Amino acid sequence: MSTTADELREEVRRRYAESALRAGGEPEGCGCGSGACCADGDSDAAKFGEALYDAEQRSELPDAAVLASLGCGNPTAFADLREGDIVLDLGSGGGIDVILSAKRVGPTGVAYGLDMTDEMLALAQRNAAEADAKNVHFLKGEIENIPLPAASVDVIISNCVINLSVDKPAVMIEMARVLKPGGRIGISDVVAEDQLTTEQRATRGSYVGCIAGALSKGEYEALLDAAGFEQVSVEFTHQVADGMHGAIVKAVKTRQPERKGLPVLRAASSAGCC
Ligand SMILES: C[S@@+](CC[C@H](N)C(=O)[O-])C[C@H]1O[C@@H](n2cnc3c(N)ncnc32)[C@H](O)[C@@H]1O
């Protein structure tokens, strides 16, 4: 049965709302397996979530923020964050990377977290308050339509979210729009090897589990290039499924995006939650 983009987005929202409620100690519905929605069980614990942060970073954070981590990397470990920067985290979840970024950019900088799920935004607000992070702002919205002005951000980070988007070209265009000239991206995401077809990716895991919707390395590079990014690199860090990897994605915004040059990508139809 095929799933429309709107249905898929709603499935993602529902799945992560449940995860946020569980992380906040509330009863949940269908649940997300091990607690990390981008994971399919205990054997995935080293590939997703808090294990990807070092002990020093974890010690800087409230336990609830660490436990709410659902990423597939640690963008604050490789993103080029500087004192005074304006940072935007796409799909900020429970807020772990926003809080860490806020510490890095200091009181003259700002860390924004953007998420479409009310329950995640509420969890992130609580975690930021517990961390006493003052220079953070959480925004409700979709990463395909970022609620910030053009050329207002120095660095975009994201952790295991772009694979969940049903319109990835729009995300690339929006990243290019809100970044200042010379702005950087430092993103963790699940990325497939180029030989895997969309159908093969869908057999390796669900869409809401961050597998079926993953771009290939070549698709990522082409989309970023078409959106006006240069110095694009996509580097695999750890395997999360056969032929699929946690990856570090970096690029610099130099040109204005050209919408007409963007490849058309369709969302895989395997949603699969409970
Ligand atoms: C796998 S979790 C990652 C959360 C966080 N980045 C982390 O590392 O813990 C995905 C998050 O992205 C959000 N999300 C997914 N698709 C989104 C979209 N299209 N626009 C905004 N938020 C989205 C979900 O609500 C969820 O909080």
Side-chain angles (χ1 to χ4, degrees):
M1 190 183 80
S2 74
T3 309
T4 67
D6 284 348
E7 287 169 342
L8 210 43
R9 185 186 284 114
E10 279 315 301
E11 180 68 19
V12 170
R13 194 195 308 271
R14 185 175 71 81
R15 178 76 171 254
Y16 288 97
E18 288 168 348
S19 181
L21 291 175
R22 178 158 63 179
E26 296 182 38
E28 27 112 17
C30 85
C32 294
S34 70
C37 286
C38 284
D40 282 330
D42 291 342
S43 63
D44 279 348
K47 302 171 188 167
F48 295 99
E50 64 181 271
L52 300 167
Y53 295 81
D54 64 32
E56 191 182 333
Q57 283 185 309
R58 292 199 298 252
S59 71
E60 293 176 35
L61 295 161
D63 287 348
V66 175
L67 289 172
S69 168
L70 300 172
C72 50
N74 179 355
T76 62
F78 59 81
D80 183 14
L81 299 178
R82 303 168 193 166
E83 189 91 19
D85 272 347
I86 311 293
V87 184
L88 169 65
D89 182 14
L90 299 182
S92 43
I96 185 168
D97 296 316
V98 176
I99 298 168
L100 287 170
S101 297
K103 289 176 188 285
R104 291 270 296 282
V105 301
T108 57
V110 176
Y112 288 101
L114 171 64
D115 207 288
M116 68 177 183
T117 305
D118 287 323
E119 292 83 351
M120 275 297 182
L121 290 164
L123 176 65
Q125 296 278 15
R126 290 199 300 276
N127 287 337
E130 196 181 330
D132 201 26
K134 306 270 190 261
N135 52 336
V136 304
H137 299 281
F138 290 99
L139 309 171
K140 180 171 180 179
E142 293 174 354
I143 62 175
E144 299 82 1
N145 189 15
I146 298 173
L148 284 174
S152 60
V153 171
D154 295 296
V155 184
I156 291 177
I157 61 170
S158 185
N159 198 348
C160 229
V161 178
I162 293 176
N163 69 79
L164 294 168
S165 171
V166 294
D167 189 352
K168 295 168 178 71
V171 178
M172 308 297 172
I173 291 279
E174 278 294 88
M175 291 198 299
R177 181 184 67 79
V178 300
L179 278 173
K180 299 175 186 176
R184 292 97 66 199
I185 65 170
I187 288 173
S188 295
D189 206 358
V190 173
V191 179
E193 293 174 15
D194 286 332
Q195 77 276 6
L196 289 189
T197 64
T198 308
E199 290 71 24
Q200 288 171 323
R201 294 171 219 170
T203 65
R204 283 155 172 74
S206 69
Y207 195 94
V208 294
C210 297
I211 299 292
L215 293 167
S216 71
K217 184 173 186 289
E219 288 167 348
Y220 232 120
E221 291 166 344
L223 283 176
L224 285 168
D225 179 66
F229 288 92
E230 289 182 357
Q231 300 170 46
V232 174
S233 71
V234 179
E235 180 196 334
F236 294 151
T237 53
H238 57 291
Q239 180 157 291
V240 297
D242 183 20
M244 306 193 63
H245 305 265
I248 291 173
V249 180
K250 289 176 158 179
V252 177
K253 177 241 178 105
T254 49
R255 293 173 275 122
Q256 285 307 312
E258 299 163 28
R259 175 103 217 175
K260 63 180 167 43
L262 285 166
V264 175
L265 296 171
R266 68 190 164 83
S269 60
S270 159
C273 178
C274 302

